[in-house]
Amino acid sequence: MSSPTLVTPTSKPAALFAVKTKTVTAAVAAAEPPPEKQTLLRRQFLTLSAATTLGAPLIVSTPAAFASSDEEYVKDTEDVINKVRTTITMDKENPNVATSVAELRDVSNTWVAKYRREKALLGRASFRDIYSALNAVSGHYISFGPTAPIPAKRKARILEEMDSAEKALSRGR
């Protein structure tokens, strides 16, 4: 059984109720400006938006969170390299391992937050190697805890990345 309101593919759609529309041409015509005024408004809008879009990069200054100089990047990166080396070569019996890992986490988070958005640094070999090593170290300590020793293969890879980053820094890369 089919319902009279059910629309099937074979049935023809029928209007449910008649709707009478009123035309309100007088109100619409009064609200719109004349055509010559309309093109003038459009031209003013396009001129203003183009000036704003093209002039905005000239006005915007570099935010303070970005690195101020190349020397600062080299110094900060050398500090991170030294901190990573001292932390991952600590003996697991050392009572200061957990605090050293917490300090390393703070230093690495600060370094990454400061230099990750620097487009000039993203292509550098030193940045790539340090970023990769920091990911490996922090991922290990997050997964296994701050007192878990880093496996020999992972430690060798991290130390190798630190060496290559140091060489790249000394060459200005």
Side-chain angles (χ1 to χ4, degrees):
M1 292 236 164
S2 80
S3 156
T5 58
L6 181 65
V7 178
T8 59
T10 58
S11 66
K12 294 181 182 176
L16 297 176
F17 55 90
V19 178
K20 293 184 181 179
T21 59
K22 294 181 182 178
T23 57
V24 189
T25 56
V28 173
E32 290 183 10
E36 59 276 350
K37 180 75 173 175
Q38 197 173 25
T39 56
L40 182 62
L41 290 175
R42 185 180 310 134
R43 187 171 297 148
Q44 288 172 343
F45 171 75
L46 291 174
T47 304
L48 180 62
S49 64
T52 305
T53 305
L54 296 175
L58 302 175
I59 298 170
V60 176
S61 64
T62 307
F66 289 152
S68 62
S69 68
D70 191 50
E71 293 85 23
E72 183 180 359
Y73 168 74
V74 171
K75 182 186 145 309
D76 289 347
T77 305
E78 286 174 348
D79 292 343
V80 169
I81 289 172
N82 292 333
K83 187 66 181 167
V84 168
R85 280 193 178 138
T86 57
T87 303
I88 68 173
T89 55
M90 284 182 137
D91 187 29
K92 69 177 182 177
E93 306 300 323
N94 191 338
N96 298 327
V97 171
T99 57
S100 182
V101 169
E103 289 172 6
L104 175 63
R105 178 180 241 171
D106 289 340
V107 168
S108 65
N109 285 344
T110 303
W111 186 87
V112 168
K114 188 173 187 177
Y115 296 112
R116 177 178 34 199
R117 294 187 179 149
E118 285 281 338
K119 295 197 185 296
L121 300 176
L122 293 179
R124 285 187 169 193
S126 61
F127 179 84
R128 180 192 63 230
D129 290 340
I130 293 293
Y131 194 83
S132 174
L134 289 177
N135 276 339
V137 170
S138 64
H140 171 79
Y141 287 128
I142 286 171
S143 297
F144 301 108
T147 57
I150 295 180
K153 284 175 102 175
R154 186 175 295 157
K155 185 187 286 188
R157 184 179 66 88
I158 291 168
L159 291 174
E160 182 181 319
E161 285 177 340
M162 292 293 145
D163 291 338
S164 66
E166 231 172 13
K167 287 178 188 174
L169 273 179
S170 66
R171 295 176 185 158
R173 296 182 192 164

